[in-house]
Amino acid sequence: MKSIPVSILLASVILGISFIIGCFFLSNQESVNEPAQVAQEEVAKDKVLMTIQETAEYLSMTEEQVMSIIHAEQRSFAASGSFNGTMFPFIKVQDEFFISRNELLLWAQDASVYNRRYVNGQLQ
């Protein structure tokens, strides 16, 4: 009869030690992944130019919405020959668009001041 409680106690100790070791390994694995993710975010913050995808993520928009804004502003400028305020800050290299992070903040402030509306690919 005395061997049953001892075996239960031994099994409990082994299970407890296994749980602690497992938690230790999991916490080390998360801390190994964190520096890589933080380093990648720092590189992204230091980039002067962003891709359309990065810009869309930065603005919490879709890539299609960002492109729609660019095209709407370009059409408005082409039609009137002028543009009231700051235009969306991009450069085009071959077929790729790149957006200035610093100028993007100024554009967002300006677009907010003028209460710009982009509907169905048109600036209203």
Coordinates of all heavy atoms in Angstrom, one line a residue, residues 58-110:
Y58 N 1.4 50.7 -43.8 CA 1.7 51.9 -43.0 C 0.5 52.7 -42.8 O 0.2 53.3 -41.7 CB 2.8 52.7 -43.6 CG 3.3 53.9 -42.8 CD1 4.1 53.7 -41.6 CD2 3.1 55.2 -43.2 CE1 4.6 54.8 -40.9 CE2 3.6 56.3 -42.5 CZ 4.3 56.1 -41.4 OH 4.8 57.1 -40.6
L59 N -0.3 52.9 -43.9 CA -1.5 53.7 -43.9 C -2.8 52.9 -43.5 O -3.9 53.5 -43.4 CB -1.8 54.3 -45.2 CG -0.7 55.3 -45.7 CD1 -1.0 55.8 -47.1 CD2 -0.7 56.6 -44.8
S60 N -2.6 51.6 -43.2 CA -3.8 50.7 -42.9 C -4.8 50.7 -44.1 O -6.0 50.9 -43.9 CB -4.4 51.1 -41.6 OG -3.5 51.0 -40.5
M61 N -4.3 50.6 -45.3 CA -5.1 50.6 -46.5 C -4.7 49.4 -47.3 O -3.7 48.7 -46.9 CB -4.8 51.8 -47.4 CG -5.2 53.1 -46.8 SD -4.9 54.4 -48.0 CE -5.6 55.8 -47.2
T62 N -5.4 49.1 -48.4 CA -5.0 48.1 -49.3 C -4.1 48.7 -50.4 O -4.1 50.0 -50.5 CB -6.2 47.5 -50.0 OG1 -6.8 48.5 -50.8 CG2 -7.2 46.9 -49.0
E63 N -3.4 47.9 -51.1 CA -2.5 48.4 -52.2 C -3.4 49.1 -53.2 O -3.0 50.1 -53.8 CB -1.7 47.2 -52.8 CG -0.7 46.7 -51.8 CD 0.1 45.5 -52.4 OE1 0.5 45.6 -53.6 OE2 0.4 44.6 -51.6
E64 N -4.6 48.5 -53.5 CA -5.5 49.1 -54.5 C -5.9 50.5 -54.1 O -6.0 51.4 -54.9 CB -6.7 48.2 -54.7 CG -6.4 46.9 -55.4 CD -5.7 45.8 -54.4 OE1 -5.9 45.9 -53.2 OE2 -5.1 44.9 -54.9
Q65 N -6.2 50.7 -52.8 CA -6.6 52.0 -52.4 C -5.4 53.1 -52.5 O -5.7 54.2 -53.0 CB -7.0 52.0 -50.9 CG -8.3 51.3 -50.7 CD -8.6 51.1 -49.2 OE1 -7.8 50.8 -48.4 NE2 -9.9 51.3 -48.9
V66 N -4.2 52.6 -52.2 CA -3.1 53.5 -52.4 C -2.9 53.9 -53.9 O -2.7 55.1 -54.2 CB -1.8 52.9 -51.8 CG1 -0.5 53.8 -52.2 CG2 -1.9 52.7 -50.3
M67 N -3.0 52.9 -54.7 CA -2.8 53.1 -56.2 C -4.0 54.0 -56.7 O -3.8 54.9 -57.6 CB -2.7 51.8 -57.0 CG -1.5 51.1 -56.7 SD 0.0 52.0 -57.1 CE -0.1 52.3 -58.8
S68 N -5.2 53.8 -56.2 CA -6.3 54.6 -56.6 C -6.1 56.1 -56.2 O -6.4 57.0 -57.0 CB -7.6 54.1 -55.9 OG -8.7 54.9 -56.2
I69 N -5.5 56.4 -55.0 CA -5.2 57.7 -54.6 C -4.2 58.3 -55.6 O -4.4 59.5 -56.1 CB -4.7 57.8 -53.2 CG1 -5.8 57.5 -52.2 CG2 -4.0 59.1 -52.9 CD1 -5.4 57.2 -50.8
I70 N -3.1 57.6 -55.9 CA -2.1 58.1 -56.8 C -2.7 58.4 -58.2 O -2.5 59.5 -58.7 CB -1.0 57.1 -57.0 CG1 -0.2 57.0 -55.7 CG2 0.0 57.5 -58.1 CD1 0.9 55.9 -55.7
H71 N -3.5 57.5 -58.7 CA -4.1 57.7 -60.0 C -5.1 58.9 -60.0 O -5.2 59.7 -61.0 CB -4.7 56.5 -60.6 CG -3.7 55.4 -60.9 ND1 -2.6 55.6 -61.7 CD2 -3.6 54.1 -60.5 CE1 -1.9 54.5 -61.8 NE2 -2.4 53.6 -61.1
A72 N -5.9 59.0 -59.0 CA -6.9 60.0 -58.9 C -6.3 61.4 -58.8 O -6.7 62.3 -59.5 CB -7.8 59.8 -57.6
E73 N -5.2 61.5 -58.1 CA -4.5 62.8 -58.0 C -3.8 63.1 -59.3 O -3.8 64.3 -59.8 CB -3.5 62.8 -56.8 CG -4.1 62.9 -55.5 CD -3.2 63.0 -54.4 OE1 -1.9 63.1 -54.6 OE2 -3.6 63.1 -53.2
Q74 N -3.3 62.1 -60.0 CA -2.6 62.4 -61.3 C -3.6 62.8 -62.3 O -3.4 63.7 -63.1 CB -1.9 61.1 -61.7 CG -0.6 60.8 -60.9 CD 0.4 61.9 -60.9 OE1 0.8 62.3 -62.0 NE2 0.8 62.3 -59.8
R75 N -4.8 62.2 -62.3 CA -5.9 62.6 -63.3 C -6.4 64.0 -63.0 O -6.6 64.8 -63.9 CB -7.0 61.6 -63.2 CG -6.8 60.3 -64.0 CD -8.1 59.5 -64.1 NE -8.6 59.0 -62.8 CZ -8.2 57.9 -62.3 NH1 -7.3 57.1 -62.9 NH2 -8.7 57.5 -61.1
S76 N -6.5 64.3 -61.7 CA -7.0 65.7 -61.4 C -5.9 66.7 -61.8 O -6.3 67.8 -62.3 CB -7.2 65.7 -59.8 OG -7.5 67.0 -59.4
F77 N -4.7 66.4 -61.6 CA -3.6 67.4 -62.0 C -3.6 67.5 -63.5 O -3.5 68.6 -64.1 CB -2.3 66.9 -61.5 CG -1.1 67.8 -61.9 CD1 -0.9 69.0 -61.3 CD2 -0.2 67.3 -62.8 CE1 0.1 69.8 -61.7 CE2 0.8 68.2 -63.2 CZ 1.0 69.4 -62.6
A78 N -3.7 66.4 -64.2 CA -3.7 66.4 -65.7 C -4.9 67.2 -66.3 O -4.7 67.9 -67.2 CB -3.6 65.0 -66.3
A79 N -6.0 67.1 -65.6 CA -7.2 67.7 -66.1 C -7.2 69.2 -65.9 O -7.6 70.0 -66.8 CB -8.5 67.1 -65.5
S80 N -6.7 69.7 -64.7 CA -6.8 71.1 -64.4 C -5.4 71.8 -64.6 O -5.4 73.0 -64.6 CB -7.3 71.3 -63.0 OG -6.3 70.8 -62.1
G81 N -4.4 71.1 -64.6 CA -3.0 71.7 -64.7 C -2.5 72.2 -63.4 O -1.4 72.7 -63.4
S82 N -3.2 72.0 -62.4 CA -2.8 72.4 -61.0 C -3.4 71.5 -60.0 O -4.3 70.7 -60.3 CB -3.2 73.9 -60.7 OG -4.6 74.0 -60.6
F83 N -2.8 71.6 -58.8 CA -3.3 70.7 -57.7 C -3.3 71.6 -56.4 O -2.3 72.2 -56.1 CB -2.5 69.5 -57.5 CG -3.1 68.4 -56.7 CD1 -4.1 67.6 -57.1 CD2 -2.8 68.4 -55.3 CE1 -4.7 66.6 -56.3 CE2 -3.3 67.4 -54.5 CZ -4.3 66.5 -55.0
N84 N -4.4 71.6 -55.7 CA -4.5 72.3 -54.5 C -4.0 71.5 -53.3 O -4.6 70.5 -52.9 CB -6.0 72.7 -54.2 CG -6.1 73.7 -53.1 OD1 -5.2 74.4 -52.8 ND2 -7.3 73.8 -52.6
G85 N -2.8 71.9 -52.8 CA -2.2 71.2 -51.6 C -1.1 70.3 -52.1 O -0.5 70.4 -53.2
T86 N -0.8 69.3 -51.2 CA 0.3 68.4 -51.4 C -0.2 67.2 -52.1 O -1.1 66.5 -51.7 CB 1.0 68.0 -50.1 OG1 1.4 69.2 -49.4 CG2 2.2 67.1 -50.3
M87 N 0.5 66.8 -53.2 CA 0.2 65.5 -53.9 C 0.9 64.3 -53.2 O 1.8 64.5 -52.5 CB 0.6 65.6 -55.4 CG -0.2 66.6 -56.2 SD 0.2 66.6 -57.9 CE -0.6 65.0 -58.4
F88 N 0.3 63.2 -53.5 CA 0.8 61.9 -52.9 C 2.3 61.8 -53.3 O 2.6 61.9 -54.5 CB 0.0 60.7 -53.4 CG 0.3 59.5 -52.6 CD1 -0.5 59.3 -51.4 CD2 1.2 58.6 -52.9 CE1 -0.3 58.1 -50.7 CE2 1.4 57.4 -52.2 CZ 0.6 57.2 -51.0
P89 N 3.2 61.6 -52.4 CA 4.7 61.7 -52.6 C 5.2 60.3 -53.1 O 5.6 59.5 -52.4 CB 5.3 62.0 -51.3 CG 4.3 61.4 -50.3 CD 3.0 61.5 -50.9
F90 N 5.3 60.2 -54.4 CA 5.9 58.9 -55.0 C 6.9 59.2 -56.1 O 6.9 60.3 -56.6 CB 4.8 58.0 -55.5 CG 4.2 58.6 -56.8 CD1 4.7 58.1 -58.0 CD2 3.1 59.5 -56.8 CE1 4.2 58.6 -59.2 CE2 2.6 59.9 -58.0 CZ 3.2 59.5 -59.2
I91 N 7.7 58.3 -56.3 CA 8.6 58.3 -57.5 C 8.4 56.9 -58.1 O 8.0 56.0 -57.5 CB 10.1 58.5 -57.1 CG1 10.6 57.4 -56.2 CG2 10.3 59.9 -56.5 CD1 12.2 57.5 -56.1
K92 N 8.6 56.9 -59.4 CA 8.4 55.7 -60.2 C 9.7 55.3 -60.8 O 10.3 56.1 -61.5 CB 7.3 55.9 -61.2 CG 6.9 54.6 -61.9 CD 5.7 54.8 -62.8 CE 5.2 53.6 -63.5 NZ 4.1 53.7 -64.4
V93 N 10.2 54.1 -60.5 CA 11.4 53.6 -61.1 C 11.0 52.3 -61.9 O 10.5 51.4 -61.4 CB 12.4 53.2 -60.0 CG1 13.7 52.6 -60.7 CG2 12.7 54.4 -59.1
Q94 N 11.1 52.5 -63.2 CA 10.6 51.5 -64.2 C 9.1 51.3 -63.9 O 8.4 52.2 -64.1 CB 11.4 50.2 -64.1 CG 12.9 50.4 -64.5 CD 13.7 49.1 -64.4 OE1 13.3 48.2 -63.8 NE2 14.9 49.2 -64.9
D95 N 8.7 50.2 -63.5 CA 7.2 50.0 -63.2 C 6.9 49.9 -61.7 O 5.8 49.6 -61.4 CB 6.8 48.6 -63.9 CG 6.8 48.7 -65.4 OD1 6.7 49.8 -65.9 OD2 6.9 47.6 -66.0
E96 N 7.9 50.3 -60.9 CA 7.6 50.2 -59.4 C 7.5 51.6 -58.9 O 8.2 52.5 -59.2 CB 8.8 49.5 -58.7 CG 8.8 48.0 -59.0 CD 9.8 47.3 -58.1 OE1 9.6 47.3 -56.8 OE2 10.8 46.8 -58.6
F97 N 6.5 51.7 -57.9 CA 6.3 53.0 -57.2 C 7.1 52.9 -55.8 O 7.0 51.9 -55.2 CB 4.9 53.2 -56.9 CG 4.1 53.6 -58.2 CD1 3.6 52.6 -59.0 CD2 3.8 54.9 -58.5 CE1 2.8 52.9 -60.1 CE2 3.1 55.2 -59.6 CZ 2.6 54.2 -60.4
F98 N 7.7 54.0 -55.5 CA 8.3 54.1 -54.2 C 7.8 55.4 -53.5 O 7.7 56.4 -54.2 CB 9.8 54.2 -54.3 CG 10.4 52.9 -54.8 CD1 10.7 52.7 -56.1 CD2 10.6 51.8 -53.9 CE1 11.2 51.5 -56.6 CE2 11.1 50.6 -54.4 CZ 11.4 50.5 -55.8
I99 N 7.5 55.4 -52.2 CA 6.9 56.5 -51.5 C 7.8 56.9 -50.4 O 8.3 56.1 -49.6 CB 5.5 56.1 -51.0 CG1 4.5 55.8 -52.1 CG2 5.0 57.2 -50.1 CD1 4.6 54.5 -52.7
S100 N 8.0 58.3 -50.3 CA 8.8 58.9 -49.3 C 8.1 58.8 -48.0 O 7.0 59.3 -47.9 CB 9.2 60.3 -49.7 OG 9.7 61.0 -48.5
R101 N 8.7 58.2 -47.0 CA 8.0 58.1 -45.7 C 7.8 59.5 -45.0 O 6.7 59.8 -44.6 CB 8.9 57.3 -44.7 CG 8.3 57.1 -43.3 CD 9.2 56.3 -42.4 NE 9.5 55.0 -42.9 CZ 8.8 53.9 -42.6 NH1 7.7 54.1 -41.9 NH2 9.1 52.7 -43.1
N102 N 8.8 60.3 -45.1 CA 8.7 61.7 -44.5 C 7.6 62.5 -45.2 O 6.8 63.2 -44.6 CB 10.0 62.4 -44.5 CG 11.0 61.7 -43.6 OD1 10.7 61.0 -42.6 ND2 12.3 61.9 -43.9
E103 N 7.6 62.5 -46.5 CA 6.7 63.3 -47.3 C 5.3 62.7 -47.2 O 4.3 63.5 -47.3 CB 7.1 63.4 -48.7 CG 8.4 64.1 -49.0 CD 8.4 65.6 -48.5 OE1 7.3 66.2 -48.8 OE2 9.3 66.0 -47.9
L104 N 5.2 61.4 -46.9 CA 3.9 60.8 -46.8 C 3.1 61.4 -45.5 O 1.9 61.6 -45.6 CB 4.0 59.3 -46.6 CG 2.7 58.5 -46.6 CD1 1.9 58.7 -47.8 CD2 3.1 57.0 -46.4
L105 N 3.9 61.6 -44.5 CA 3.2 62.2 -43.3 C 2.7 63.6 -43.6 O 1.6 64.0 -43.2 CB 4.3 62.3 -42.1 CG 4.7 60.9 -41.6 CD1 5.8 61.1 -40.6 CD2 3.6 60.2 -41.0
L106 N 3.5 64.4 -44.3 CA 3.0 65.7 -44.7 C 1.8 65.6 -45.6 O 0.9 66.4 -45.5 CB 4.2 66.5 -45.4 CG 5.4 66.7 -44.6 CD1 6.5 67.3 -45.4 CD2 5.1 67.6 -43.4
W107 N 1.8 64.7 -46.6 CA 0.7 64.5 -47.4 C -0.6 64.2 -46.6 O -1.7 64.7 -46.9 CB 0.9 63.4 -48.5 CG -0.3 63.0 -49.2 CD1 -0.8 63.7 -50.3 CD2 -1.2 62.0 -48.9 NE1 -2.0 63.1 -50.7 CE2 -2.3 62.0 -49.9 CE3 -1.3 61.0 -47.9 CZ2 -3.3 61.1 -49.8 CZ3 -2.3 60.1 -47.9 CH2 -3.3 60.2 -48.9
A108 N -0.4 63.2 -45.7 CA -1.6 62.8 -44.9 C -2.2 64.0 -44.1 O -3.4 64.2 -44.0 CB -1.2 61.7 -43.9
Q109 N -1.3 64.8 -43.5 CA -1.8 66.0 -42.8 C -2.5 67.0 -43.8 O -3.6 67.5 -43.4 CB -0.6 66.8 -42.2 CG 0.0 66.0 -41.0 CD 1.3 66.6 -40.5 OE1 1.9 67.5 -41.1 NE2 1.7 66.2 -39.3
D110 N -1.9 67.2 -44.9 CA -2.5 68.1 -45.9 C -3.8 67.6 -46.4 O -4.8 68.3 -46.5 CB -1.5 68.3 -47.1 CG -1.9 69.4 -48.0 OD1 -2.0 70.6 -47.5 OD2 -2.3 69.2 -49.2

